[in-house]
Amino acid sequence: MNAANPSTSALVLFGHGARDPEWAGPMRRIREAALARPGAPRVELAFLEFMAPTLPEAIAALAAEGARRVAVVPIFLAQGGHLKRDLPVLLEEARAAHPGCEITLATAAGEADPVVAAMADYALGCLG
């Protein structure tokens, strides 16, 4: 999203959610790291269940604040059932509710080549 206008563009980091609030710690760290970049767009978290805001709530808030382009980035290791079944329905509903907002979907973070490479580097570094 480097060419995107930060004032009208936003990222939503989408996670499963958990009953334990500490579970979202890594997602908050990703958000903080993204926001620390020069020219960063708005970056929000959203969750499928157990935590707030939900994806529809996050997108609605961003659209109400003027976002015209929202990229949803699933912070999942892989494309499992939630991303194959639940997420498309949520996105279809959000697109219908906010027709003036372009809502795109990224690949699950854990399937992106740079993330796979970073995890391999981390795993190899665990040998000491």
Side-chain angles (χ1 to χ4, degrees):
M1 292 191 61
N2 294 343
N5 180 344
S7 65
T8 61
S9 298
L11 288 174
V12 176
L13 306 177
F14 178 65
H16 184 276
R19 288 181 178 90
D20 181 351
E22 291 181 27
W23 174 91
M27 288 188 61
R28 285 191 293 272
R29 290 177 56 209
I30 295 167
R31 179 179 182 265
E32 291 165 8
L35 288 170
R37 304 280 173 96
R42 176 109 182 245
V43 181
E44 297 298 338
L45 302 180
F47 305 95
L48 180 64
E49 54 189 12
F50 306 120
M51 302 179 97
T54 64
L55 185 60
E57 292 168 344
I59 292 173
L62 290 167
E65 293 171 9
R68 295 294 160 248
R69 184 171 181 218
V70 175
V72 177
V73 181
I75 307 299
F76 283 67
L77 194 54
Q79 300 275 349
H82 287 307
L83 296 188
K84 290 179 180 178
R85 289 187 304 272
D86 303 327
L87 185 53
V89 172
L90 293 172
L91 289 175
E92 186 176 316
E93 291 171 355
R95 288 176 180 133
H98 309 286
C101 187
E102 176 189 2
I103 302 169
T104 60
L105 176 63
T107 301
E111 293 184 358
D113 290 340
V115 176
V116 170
M119 289 190 295
D121 290 343
Y122 169 77
L124 289 169
C126 289
L127 287 173

